[in-house]
Amino acid sequence: MALKTPHILSMSDLSREEIEFIFQTTDSFREVGGRAIKKVPALRGKTVINLFFENSTRTRTSFEIAGKRLSADVINISKSSSSVTKGETLLDTAKNLVAMSPDILVVRHPSAGAPHAVAKILQRARVINAGDGAHEHPTQALLDLLTIRDHKKKIEGLHVGIVGDIAHSRVARSNIRGLQTFGAKVTVVGPKSMIPAGISALGVDVSYDLAEVLPKLDVVMMLRIQTERLDAMPFPSVREYSRFYGLNPQLLKKAKPGIVIMHPGPVNRGVEISPEVADGPYSLILDQVKNGVAVRMALLYLLAGELESVKGEA
Amino acid sequence: MAQETEKLLMDAAQLEATLQRLASQIAERQGAEGPYHLVGIHTRGVPIAKRLAALIKNSGPIGVLDINLYRDDLSAVADMPVVKETSLPFSVDGAHVLLVDDVLYTGRTVRAALDALFDLGRPKKIELLALVDRGGREIPLQADFCGKRLSVSDREVVKVRLLETDGKDEVVVAQGAE
Amino acid sequence: MKREAYLIKDVRIFDPALKLDQTGDVLLRDGKIEAMAKGLKPEGDLEILDGKGKVLVPGLVDLHTHLREPGYEHKETVETGTRSAAAGGFTTICCMANTNPVNDNAAITQYILQKAREGASVRVLPIGAISKGLQGKELAEIGELKQAGCVGISDDGMTLMDSQLMRLAMDYARGFDLPVLTHSVDANLAKGGAMHEGEVSCRLGLKGMPAEAEDIIVARDIYLSGLTDCHLHVAHVSTAGSVELIRQAKRRGLKVSGEAAPHHFTLTDAACEDYDTHAKMCPPLRGEEHRQAVIAGLADGTLDCIATDHAPHATVDKETEFDQAAFGILGFETALPLSLRLVEQGAVSLERVIQSLTSSPMAILKRPYTGLQVGAVADVALLDLQHVWTYRASEGFSKSRNSPFEGWEMKGRVLGTWVDGKRVHQG
């Protein structure tokens, strides 16, 4: 089996079978991550470029480690080091990098659709979307789905709540698509000012009351309140947000036994999630990070094959 | 698809007898060197290793090795091979490993398996068992234990079928490429 | 200089404003429609064209275009833009004020008109700015703009958010008998928006501009039109709400008119689906219910005219991230066939379509409409309504290539355009 899509741009590019296949491959890479020598030669001679137009420590590091554990040559290009600051357009930057024959471009960009634009101009290299604006962050969703599966054995039939700024969240959009692919029920929760217009397009339930929804949930994903990305604060104060939409020990008492709590990071401790909850027994936050490397290894590995069209030319 | 013509090399009884013979050779040598750690190479090396372990009454855990991440042709393939489980439920450090595979041909699979093993630790000694050695080596490498030696052309394919993986025990030579 | 004279034989002479639909010969000479009758046999040196199966209409008029000169000559110039207009059958076009410097004073207006005299294919009527620099802070010298040749005022590209300044502008423009043309998007409500707010923007993770951002401004400006008695012309109406507001305003007898852009009655926000920046314009492509409302508004005359909002942009402005890309698309060479699709679909009559491209915009500008009659100025277009062709922006006359209609099969083609009796395009 191989992935049908040449690029990983959106969770809607992946079928359930393909995601299962990625997870099966991930299992093998989790074994590699458990070794004393955490490195295999599979991608020897392949070049992976992490093209990050937006700051990110976690995702960039995760991709870098994943690439290096596969023996790929990993090059990091960040906003400050790229010529974008010198007025070069995204596509010119991408074209120039492509001229140096990389195999995989991992693209993070503040504009929705930027990785799609890059993918359109590529002949040979593959693109992995590492987060584009408020659109998608498919590798985050894959590691979230895997983490849920690890702890709940299956995803189908689960009721998952995604809490926070849905309008600006690429993590929410990717997870909604992935969870729906597996037949989970999704409820998005947040102040109405943070629920995007047109939410009906995503086929989810909507609630403005976390306390009311929490007892029904098997999984709750808390999103980071990204004050840096909001044009105008869509809530009166952080204090008030935290009071109505923060997850704290008192509220958690209402939850189902066995609920698991997730957060894509970085956590605003005491805002969307209290420290006791983030570090508590139901929290899977560190499992998410750990699975991130293995999932990204699996994706890099599966995308490293030569495109058929290119092989034909050779 | 053209019908492939297959020639039977071993039937179930002959295969069983071959395994018996190999088991006694292992048992003989194992006595001197201490117990082997059997490691089967995916896919058919694994059930062969298990059967041999039962025959020599080696109750130690069987290692499973997938060599796909160590293949030397990955840079050119279109679809990356499916990576299967690798599991060595014992420490490789200082171990006396017996690598088990069904068919020994170019030797590249064994080369990859050796690399994989060394990434997992530093074994004291590694020996190799192949149910069939069909010749055609591209690497200076040979089996310490061999069930049957053949000389077949490059256009022929030796297929080992096992109850566990294929529903029946037999070894055949098929004409033409796969 | 050789005098140009043309005899178009056996052509369908079609001018709905003059209730004219007959077959005959038309003689264009000395800048005038010299004669119209069956079996004309004129003397002299002239080119004879076979008009059989073709339609002769008055030259098309476009109230809403961007010629980009001065300041953005890499996108378009008066010369290239008007050449493209001629290819689209247009003989008179209005150019918006958002040049650099902004057309907010007589000198810029004169500059544009000078450029037009030097190398324009069609008539150019500049629109002056409402506010200095389109900043929405103080009024431009509206009287001098009119004197220099501006036929209306508009801050197009921006919405004048200060209601008090807008009231002053409309009061002032009323005194000079100038229409105010508005771009209606509430700048705060639509801040940061890259497309229509709805299911598609939600899926794509792009910031949306709600339809209400247009409705609110249209409603405000209609009230101000009532208050000031100034003619309000709502440019590029894109929402069902605005269409209804204009319909009601007209019923109440207010001096309000509206225009529809071909892209708004042809495409929906689904065209943005693949982050295609050629589907990015402002007001944005809306949902299907809005598209239908615009078509209905055009059919019943609520929207008086069709205007292209021809907005050329360089590749660098469009080949970029969707939210960073410039707003706007080319319009001249696709306007007529896209409008004819509405006729083909039975949504709007051919009479309405031609009126909305000829006599209606002239009425909004309060300019005399002569149309197809003997003695009238020979601004005409010869069309083949049946001709099927494939649109390629690269084969067009604009300097730019930004069209979402690339590769579309079009029905209806301009075979010739005459301005002042001179042939400015031959298709």
Side-chain angles (χ1 to χ4, degrees), chain C residues 12 14 16 55 57 265-266 291 295 298-299 306 335-357 383 385-386 411-412:
Chain C
R12 178 179 171 194
F14 188 64
V55 184
V57 297
F265 60 65
T266 306
R291 187 178 82 91
I295 294 172
L298 200 54
I306 294 171
L336 182 75
L338 293 175
S339 303
L340 291 172
R341 281 161 64 101
L342 299 179
V343 178
E344 187 97 356
Q345 291 156 6
V348 183
S349 68
L350 181 64
E351 283 77 8
R352 264 300 296 143
V353 163
I354 297 303
Q355 257 178 344
S356 68
L357 283 163
L383 313 178
L385 301 183
Q386 304 306 318
K411 191 171 176 188

Short mmCIF file of all heavy atoms in Angstrom, two decimals, chain C residues 12 14 16 55 57 265-266 291 295 298-299 306 335-357 383 385-386 411-412:
data_model
loop_
_atom_site.label_atom_id
_atom_site.label_comp_id
_atom_site.label_asym_id
_atom_site.label_seq_id
_atom_site.Cartn_x
_atom_site.Cartn_y
_atom_site.Cartn_z
N ARG C 12 -28.13 42.91 -38.12
CA ARG C 12 -29.24 43.14 -37.19
C ARG C 12 -28.88 44.39 -36.38
O ARG C 12 -27.89 44.40 -35.65
CB ARG C 12 -29.43 41.93 -36.27
CG ARG C 12 -30.54 42.11 -35.24
CD ARG C 12 -30.68 40.85 -34.40
NE ARG C 12 -31.59 41.05 -33.28
CZ ARG C 12 -31.69 40.21 -32.25
NH1 ARG C 12 -30.93 39.12 -32.21
NH2 ARG C 12 -32.55 40.45 -31.28
N PHE C 14 -29.52 46.67 -33.43
CA PHE C 14 -30.17 46.36 -32.15
C PHE C 14 -29.84 47.42 -31.11
O PHE C 14 -28.70 47.54 -30.66
CB PHE C 14 -29.71 44.97 -31.69
CG PHE C 14 -30.45 44.45 -30.49
CD1 PHE C 14 -31.82 44.18 -30.56
CD2 PHE C 14 -29.80 44.23 -29.29
CE1 PHE C 14 -32.50 43.69 -29.46
CE2 PHE C 14 -30.48 43.73 -28.19
CZ PHE C 14 -31.84 43.46 -28.28
N PRO C 16 -31.96 48.47 -27.83
CA PRO C 16 -33.21 48.36 -27.06
C PRO C 16 -33.66 49.69 -26.46
O PRO C 16 -34.86 49.92 -26.31
CB PRO C 16 -32.87 47.33 -25.96
CG PRO C 16 -31.39 47.16 -25.99
CD PRO C 16 -30.92 47.55 -27.35
N VAL C 55 -24.74 41.19 -35.15
CA VAL C 55 -25.57 42.20 -34.49
C VAL C 55 -24.75 43.47 -34.28
O VAL C 55 -23.63 43.41 -33.78
CB VAL C 55 -26.06 41.68 -33.10
CG1 VAL C 55 -26.99 42.69 -32.45
CG2 VAL C 55 -26.73 40.32 -33.23
N VAL C 57 -24.58 46.85 -32.19
CA VAL C 57 -25.14 47.47 -30.98
C VAL C 57 -24.40 48.79 -30.74
O VAL C 57 -23.30 48.99 -31.25
CB VAL C 57 -25.00 46.55 -29.75
CG1 VAL C 57 -25.80 45.27 -29.92
CG2 VAL C 57 -23.54 46.24 -29.45
N PHE C 265 -22.09 37.77 -10.93
CA PHE C 265 -23.25 36.98 -11.37
C PHE C 265 -22.83 35.69 -12.07
O PHE C 265 -23.66 34.92 -12.53
CB PHE C 265 -24.26 37.81 -12.19
CG PHE C 265 -23.77 38.44 -13.47
CD1 PHE C 265 -23.37 37.66 -14.54
CD2 PHE C 265 -23.75 39.82 -13.61
CE1 PHE C 265 -22.96 38.25 -15.73
CE2 PHE C 265 -23.33 40.42 -14.80
CZ PHE C 265 -22.93 39.62 -15.86
N THR C 266 -21.52 35.43 -12.14
CA THR C 266 -21.05 34.20 -12.79
C THR C 266 -20.50 33.19 -11.79
O THR C 266 -20.73 32.00 -11.89
CB THR C 266 -19.96 34.55 -13.82
OG1 THR C 266 -20.45 35.54 -14.71
CG2 THR C 266 -19.53 33.31 -14.60
N ARG C 291 -25.59 35.31 -5.57
CA ARG C 291 -25.42 35.36 -7.02
C ARG C 291 -26.79 35.44 -7.71
O ARG C 291 -27.00 36.26 -8.60
CB ARG C 291 -24.67 34.11 -7.49
CG ARG C 291 -24.29 34.14 -8.96
CD ARG C 291 -23.51 32.89 -9.37
NE ARG C 291 -24.38 31.76 -9.65
CZ ARG C 291 -24.89 31.48 -10.86
NH1 ARG C 291 -24.58 32.23 -11.90
NH2 ARG C 291 -25.68 30.45 -11.03
N ILE C 295 -28.47 38.43 -10.10
CA ILE C 295 -29.05 38.17 -11.43
C ILE C 295 -30.49 38.70 -11.48
O ILE C 295 -30.89 39.39 -12.42
CB ILE C 295 -29.01 36.66 -11.77
CG1 ILE C 295 -27.55 36.20 -11.92
CG2 ILE C 295 -29.81 36.36 -13.02
CD1 ILE C 295 -27.37 34.70 -12.06
N LEU C 298 -30.55 42.39 -11.72
CA LEU C 298 -30.20 42.84 -13.07
C LEU C 298 -31.42 42.67 -14.00
O LEU C 298 -31.73 43.53 -14.82
CB LEU C 298 -29.03 42.01 -13.57
CG LEU C 298 -28.18 42.54 -14.70
CD1 LEU C 298 -27.66 43.93 -14.39
CD2 LEU C 298 -27.01 41.59 -14.94
N ALA C 299 -32.11 41.55 -13.81
CA ALA C 299 -33.25 41.24 -14.68
C ALA C 299 -34.37 42.24 -14.48
O ALA C 299 -34.98 42.69 -15.45
CB ALA C 299 -33.74 39.82 -14.41
N ILE C 306 -24.34 46.86 -15.99
CA ILE C 306 -23.24 45.91 -15.80
C ILE C 306 -21.96 46.71 -15.93
O ILE C 306 -21.79 47.47 -16.89
CB ILE C 306 -23.30 44.78 -16.86
CG1 ILE C 306 -24.55 43.93 -16.67
CG2 ILE C 306 -22.04 43.91 -16.77
CD1 ILE C 306 -24.80 42.92 -17.79
N ALA C 335 -16.52 40.42 -20.26
CA ALA C 335 -17.80 40.95 -19.77
C ALA C 335 -18.97 40.58 -20.68
O ALA C 335 -20.01 40.11 -20.20
CB ALA C 335 -17.71 42.47 -19.63
N LEU C 336 -18.80 40.81 -21.98
CA LEU C 336 -19.95 40.57 -22.88
C LEU C 336 -20.34 39.08 -22.92
O LEU C 336 -21.50 38.75 -22.67
CB LEU C 336 -19.65 41.10 -24.27
CG LEU C 336 -20.83 40.93 -25.23
CD1 LEU C 336 -21.93 41.94 -24.93
CD2 LEU C 336 -20.37 41.03 -26.67
N PRO C 337 -19.39 38.17 -23.19
CA PRO C 337 -19.82 36.75 -23.22
C PRO C 337 -20.36 36.27 -21.88
O PRO C 337 -21.30 35.47 -21.87
CB PRO C 337 -18.54 36.00 -23.62
CG PRO C 337 -17.42 36.97 -23.51
CD PRO C 337 -18.00 38.32 -23.65
N LEU C 338 -19.82 36.74 -20.77
CA LEU C 338 -20.35 36.31 -19.47
C LEU C 338 -21.77 36.84 -19.28
O LEU C 338 -22.63 36.14 -18.74
CB LEU C 338 -19.44 36.76 -18.33
CG LEU C 338 -18.06 36.11 -18.27
CD1 LEU C 338 -17.23 36.73 -17.15
CD2 LEU C 338 -18.16 34.59 -18.06
N SER C 339 -22.02 38.05 -19.76
CA SER C 339 -23.38 38.61 -19.66
C SER C 339 -24.34 37.85 -20.56
O SER C 339 -25.50 37.61 -20.19
CB SER C 339 -23.36 40.10 -20.05
OG SER C 339 -22.45 40.81 -19.24
N LEU C 340 -23.85 37.45 -21.74
CA LEU C 340 -24.70 36.71 -22.67
C LEU C 340 -25.09 35.33 -22.13
O LEU C 340 -26.10 34.77 -22.53
CB LEU C 340 -24.01 36.58 -24.04
CG LEU C 340 -23.86 37.90 -24.81
CD1 LEU C 340 -23.00 37.71 -26.05
CD2 LEU C 340 -25.24 38.47 -25.19
N ARG C 341 -24.26 34.83 -21.23
CA ARG C 341 -24.63 33.54 -20.59
C ARG C 341 -25.97 33.67 -19.87
O ARG C 341 -26.76 32.72 -19.81
CB ARG C 341 -23.57 33.12 -19.58
CG ARG C 341 -22.33 32.48 -20.20
CD ARG C 341 -21.16 32.52 -19.24
NE ARG C 341 -21.41 31.73 -18.04
CZ ARG C 341 -20.92 30.51 -17.84
NH1 ARG C 341 -20.18 29.94 -18.76
NH2 ARG C 341 -21.19 29.86 -16.74
N LEU C 342 -26.21 34.84 -19.28
CA LEU C 342 -27.47 35.06 -18.57
C LEU C 342 -28.64 35.00 -19.55
O LEU C 342 -29.72 34.54 -19.20
CB LEU C 342 -27.45 36.40 -17.84
CG LEU C 342 -26.37 36.59 -16.77
CD1 LEU C 342 -26.47 37.99 -16.16
CD2 LEU C 342 -26.50 35.54 -15.67
N VAL C 343 -28.39 35.49 -20.77
CA VAL C 343 -29.44 35.44 -21.80
C VAL C 343 -29.67 33.98 -22.20
O VAL C 343 -30.80 33.51 -22.26
CB VAL C 343 -29.03 36.27 -23.02
CG1 VAL C 343 -30.10 36.18 -24.11
CG2 VAL C 343 -28.79 37.73 -22.61
N GLU C 344 -28.57 33.29 -22.43
CA GLU C 344 -28.61 31.87 -22.81
C GLU C 344 -29.38 31.05 -21.76
O GLU C 344 -30.14 30.16 -22.09
CB GLU C 344 -27.17 31.37 -22.94
CG GLU C 344 -27.04 29.97 -23.50
CD GLU C 344 -26.74 29.99 -25.00
OE1 GLU C 344 -26.72 31.08 -25.59
OE2 GLU C 344 -26.54 28.91 -25.56
N GLN C 345 -29.15 31.39 -20.50
CA GLN C 345 -29.80 30.66 -19.41
C GLN C 345 -31.25 31.10 -19.21
O GLN C 345 -31.95 30.55 -18.36
CB GLN C 345 -29.01 30.85 -18.10
CG GLN C 345 -27.65 30.18 -18.10
CD GLN C 345 -26.68 30.82 -17.11
OE1 GLN C 345 -27.05 31.70 -16.33
NE2 GLN C 345 -25.42 30.36 -17.12
N GLY C 346 -31.66 32.11 -19.94
CA GLY C 346 -33.04 32.59 -19.79
C GLY C 346 -33.27 33.44 -18.55
O GLY C 346 -34.40 33.70 -18.16
N ALA C 347 -32.19 33.88 -17.91
CA ALA C 347 -32.32 34.63 -16.66
C ALA C 347 -32.56 36.12 -16.91
O ALA C 347 -33.28 36.78 -16.15
CB ALA C 347 -31.06 34.45 -15.80
N VAL C 348 -31.95 36.64 -17.96
CA VAL C 348 -32.07 38.07 -18.27
C VAL C 348 -32.26 38.17 -19.79
O VAL C 348 -31.66 37.41 -20.54
CB VAL C 348 -30.79 38.84 -17.84
CG1 VAL C 348 -30.94 40.33 -18.09
CG2 VAL C 348 -30.46 38.59 -16.36
N SER C 349 -33.09 39.12 -20.21
CA SER C 349 -33.32 39.25 -21.65
C SER C 349 -32.12 39.91 -22.33
O SER C 349 -31.35 40.63 -21.69
CB SER C 349 -34.58 40.10 -21.90
OG SER C 349 -34.33 41.44 -21.49
N LEU C 350 -32.00 39.66 -23.63
CA LEU C 350 -30.92 40.29 -24.39
C LEU C 350 -31.08 41.82 -24.35
O LEU C 350 -30.10 42.55 -24.26
CB LEU C 350 -30.93 39.78 -25.84
CG LEU C 350 -29.82 40.34 -26.74
CD1 LEU C 350 -28.45 39.91 -26.24
CD2 LEU C 350 -30.01 39.90 -28.19
N GLU C 351 -32.34 42.28 -24.37
CA GLU C 351 -32.59 43.72 -24.31
C GLU C 351 -31.99 44.32 -23.03
O GLU C 351 -31.32 45.34 -23.07
CB GLU C 351 -34.12 44.00 -24.34
CG GLU C 351 -34.76 43.86 -25.71
CD GLU C 351 -34.97 42.41 -26.12
OE1 GLU C 351 -34.78 41.49 -25.28
OE2 GLU C 351 -35.32 42.16 -27.29
N ARG C 352 -32.28 43.66 -21.91
CA ARG C 352 -31.77 44.16 -20.62
C ARG C 352 -30.24 44.16 -20.60
O ARG C 352 -29.61 45.09 -20.10
CB ARG C 352 -32.29 43.30 -19.46
CG ARG C 352 -33.53 43.79 -18.75
CD ARG C 352 -33.37 45.17 -18.12
NE ARG C 352 -32.39 45.21 -17.04
CZ ARG C 352 -31.57 46.21 -16.79
NH1 ARG C 352 -31.57 47.29 -17.56
NH2 ARG C 352 -30.72 46.15 -15.79
N VAL C 353 -29.65 43.09 -21.09
CA VAL C 353 -28.20 42.99 -21.06
C VAL C 353 -27.57 44.12 -21.87
O VAL C 353 -26.66 44.82 -21.40
CB VAL C 353 -27.72 41.61 -21.57
CG1 VAL C 353 -26.23 41.64 -21.93
CG2 VAL C 353 -27.98 40.53 -20.52
N ILE C 354 -28.11 44.37 -23.07
CA ILE C 354 -27.51 45.42 -23.91
C ILE C 354 -27.78 46.81 -23.32
O ILE C 354 -26.89 47.66 -23.26
CB ILE C 354 -28.02 45.31 -25.37
CG1 ILE C 354 -27.57 43.96 -25.98
CG2 ILE C 354 -27.51 46.47 -26.21
CD1 ILE C 354 -26.06 43.71 -25.98
N GLN C 355 -28.98 46.99 -22.80
CA GLN C 355 -29.28 48.27 -22.13
C GLN C 355 -28.34 48.52 -20.97
O GLN C 355 -27.84 49.62 -20.77
CB GLN C 355 -30.71 48.24 -21.59
CG GLN C 355 -31.69 49.02 -22.42
CD GLN C 355 -33.09 48.93 -21.85
OE1 GLN C 355 -33.40 48.06 -21.02
NE2 GLN C 355 -33.95 49.81 -22.32
N SER C 356 -28.12 47.47 -20.19
CA SER C 356 -27.32 47.63 -18.97
C SER C 356 -25.85 47.89 -19.32
O SER C 356 -25.08 48.30 -18.46
CB SER C 356 -27.45 46.40 -18.07
OG SER C 356 -26.85 45.30 -18.69
N LEU C 357 -25.50 47.66 -20.58
CA LEU C 357 -24.12 47.92 -21.00
C LEU C 357 -24.03 49.17 -21.88
O LEU C 357 -22.95 49.52 -22.35
CB LEU C 357 -23.57 46.71 -21.77
CG LEU C 357 -23.13 45.51 -20.92
CD1 LEU C 357 -23.01 44.26 -21.78
CD2 LEU C 357 -21.83 45.77 -20.19
N LEU C 383 -21.19 42.49 -33.19
CA LEU C 383 -21.06 41.26 -32.39
C LEU C 383 -21.49 40.04 -33.18
O LEU C 383 -22.39 40.11 -34.02
CB LEU C 383 -21.95 41.36 -31.14
CG LEU C 383 -21.90 42.65 -30.32
CD1 LEU C 383 -22.88 42.57 -29.17
CD2 LEU C 383 -20.49 42.91 -29.82
N LEU C 385 -23.08 36.81 -31.84
CA LEU C 385 -23.58 36.23 -30.59
C LEU C 385 -23.41 34.71 -30.53
O LEU C 385 -23.49 34.12 -29.46
CB LEU C 385 -25.07 36.57 -30.40
CG LEU C 385 -25.41 38.07 -30.35
CD1 LEU C 385 -26.90 38.26 -30.09
CD2 LEU C 385 -24.59 38.79 -29.28
N GLN C 386 -23.19 34.10 -31.69
CA GLN C 386 -23.12 32.63 -31.73
C GLN C 386 -21.69 32.11 -31.67
O GLN C 386 -21.47 30.93 -31.42
CB GLN C 386 -23.79 32.09 -32.99
CG GLN C 386 -25.23 32.55 -33.17
CD GLN C 386 -26.08 32.25 -31.95
OE1 GLN C 386 -25.98 31.17 -31.36
NE2 GLN C 386 -26.89 33.21 -31.54
N LYS C 411 -19.24 32.21 -25.34
CA LYS C 411 -20.10 32.30 -26.52
C LYS C 411 -20.44 33.78 -26.72
O LYS C 411 -20.93 34.44 -25.82
CB LYS C 411 -21.38 31.48 -26.32
CG LYS C 411 -22.18 31.32 -27.59
CD LYS C 411 -23.31 30.33 -27.41
CE LYS C 411 -24.15 30.26 -28.67
NZ LYS C 411 -25.37 29.46 -28.45
N GLY C 412 -20.18 34.26 -27.90
CA GLY C 412 -20.40 35.68 -28.20
C GLY C 412 -19.07 36.39 -28.30
O GLY C 412 -18.26 36.34 -27.39
#
